[in-house]
Structure formats: C-alpha cells, structure tokens
Amino acid sequence: MEKALLYKEWKKTELFVWGIFWVGIILLTYTFLKLGRSFRFVGMEHLIDVIVNRKQFAYTDMKYYPLAAGLCLGLAQYIPEMIQKRIKLTLHLPLNENRIIALMYSYGLGVLLFIFTVDNIGIIVFTRINFPLEIMVNYIVTSIPWYIAGLVAYSFVAMICLEPTWSRRVFNVLIGAGTVKLSFISSLPAAQEPVIGLLLVLTVIVIPFGFLSVYRFKQGKHN
C-alpha cells in the first residue's frame, strides 16, 4: 500500500519533477559557461578579486531556483488534492492518516533534497576545481538559506492546500511568505550565516502543521 501511494505521487508529479531537474541542469550549465567565459576574458585573478573584495557572488543565477522548485512541486502534488477532492479518497486508504501524510511529505521533500543534492555536487566540484577553498565554503554558507526556502515553501504549499478553510489558507499564505522572506533578507554573500540555525529550526517547525490541516479536514472544520 505504501509503495502504491508513493507511485501515485510520482505519476501525479512526474512531469514537474523532470522539469525542475532539467531547469536546474540548464541553470548550472549556463552559470558554468558564463564563468568559463569570464575566466578567458578577464582572468582568474581578476574574477577572484571581484568575488572576494567586491563581494560579488558567482552563483546568483541559482538564487531563486530552490524556491521556485519547492513551490512548483508543492502545487503539482497538492493542488489536485484540493481541487478534485482527492484528499478525501486518499485518507480512506487502509493506512493511518498521519502515515499517509508523512509518506506524501517524504516523497516531496525527498525529491527536492535529491535534486538539490545533485545540483550542489556539480557546483561544489566545479568551484573546488576552479576556485580556492574559501570561495567554495562561501558558496555553501550563502546558498543554504536559499535551499531552506525551497523546503519551507513546499511545506507551506502542502499546509495551505490541505487546510479546509479559506480564511486559514489566506492566513497561512501570509505566514509562509514572511517565513520564506527570512531566507532572502540580504543579498550579500554569507550575510545570513548567523541565522542559518534559526532557519533550520523554522523548517522543522513548519512541517508538522500540514498534519494539523489534515486533522481539521477530518474533523469537518469549515471556519
């Protein structure tokens, strides 16, 4: 039954998953080609000087990709549950409702983490080959909040779509937008390093609220 549920989620989101994956690959390819062009035209020393002393980030093109990925996958996975009332049928499967939602969450978050990991392996390898270690570390610290934003956005989309009342959906949208905004407060490289721990804690806190939405749905809440 659990494998069947995961397979259902895959068939529902397959096109979106491949789309997210290939958009990431295209963005990486574009970024690597652009940096390669800079290597040839201005030289490595000048490029490193721009990155280090002028605080220009080499991978700015990836900034909103994780957020867009989280939103797209969340909408693809949960909008049908909301519009077509599939969640009512899904919750009637011979599985505990919390187990069902946990599997749906695990699928979505697992897909995002896999894609994000593949993208970051490519970036880290490229950076380590072409730049000093410090710039690689700078990339990791700078980009972590972006990827957290993707996971948080996915979790909020799930919570909003599973919520049975529109008043709380609107409230959840406002809270979600504010929470995601915390990952993009500063555009300076590594500027948000001090709050990475807080962002990780917020991610863990947000996830269980989808279970509350499902509980309210099962209880027949309408206001």
Side-chain angles (χ1 to χ4, degrees), residues 12-13 16-17 19-20 63-80 82 108-109 111-113 115-116 146-161 172-181 184 206:
K12 185 169 59 177
T13 60
F16 290 89
V17 171
I20 291 167
K63 184 173 184 177
Y64 294 105
Y65 165 71
L67 174 60
L71 290 173
C72 287
L73 183 59
L75 292 172
Q77 191 177 356
Y78 295 102
I79 282 290
M82 179 178 71
L109 293 173
V111 167
L112 289 175
L113 286 171
I115 294 175
F116 293 166
W146 304 349
Y147 290 97
I148 290 175
L151 300 177
V152 169
Y154 170 86
S155 299
F156 267 104
V157 168
M159 177 173 62
I160 292 163
C161 290
N172 291 342
V173 167
L174 296 176
I175 296 298
T179 304
V180 168
K181 179 66 176 177
F184 301 99
V206 164

Side-chain angles (χ1 to χ4, degrees), residues 18-58:
W18 283 116
I20 291 167
F21 177 81
W22 285 112
V23 167
I25 297 298
I26 291 170
L27 277 174
L28 286 180
T29 302
Y30 169 76
T31 300
F32 294 159
L33 290 175
K34 186 170 70 172
L35 287 172
R37 182 176 180 276
S38 298
F39 295 160
R40 295 191 299 273
F41 282 90
V42 302
M44 178 62 73
E45 291 185 2
H46 177 74
L47 185 59
I48 292 176
D49 176 69
V50 169
I51 293 173
V52 175
N53 295 322
R54 303 183 193 178
K55 298 187 181 302
Q56 297 296 312
F57 191 61

Side-chain angles (χ1 to χ4, degrees), residues 35 96 134 195:
L35 287 172
N96 177 274
E134 290 77 10
V195 298

Side-chain angles (χ1 to χ4, degrees), residues 99-111:
R99 180 64 177 166
I100 291 172
I101 300 305
L103 285 169
M104 294 174 71
Y105 265 66
S106 297
Y107 168 81
L109 293 173
V111 167

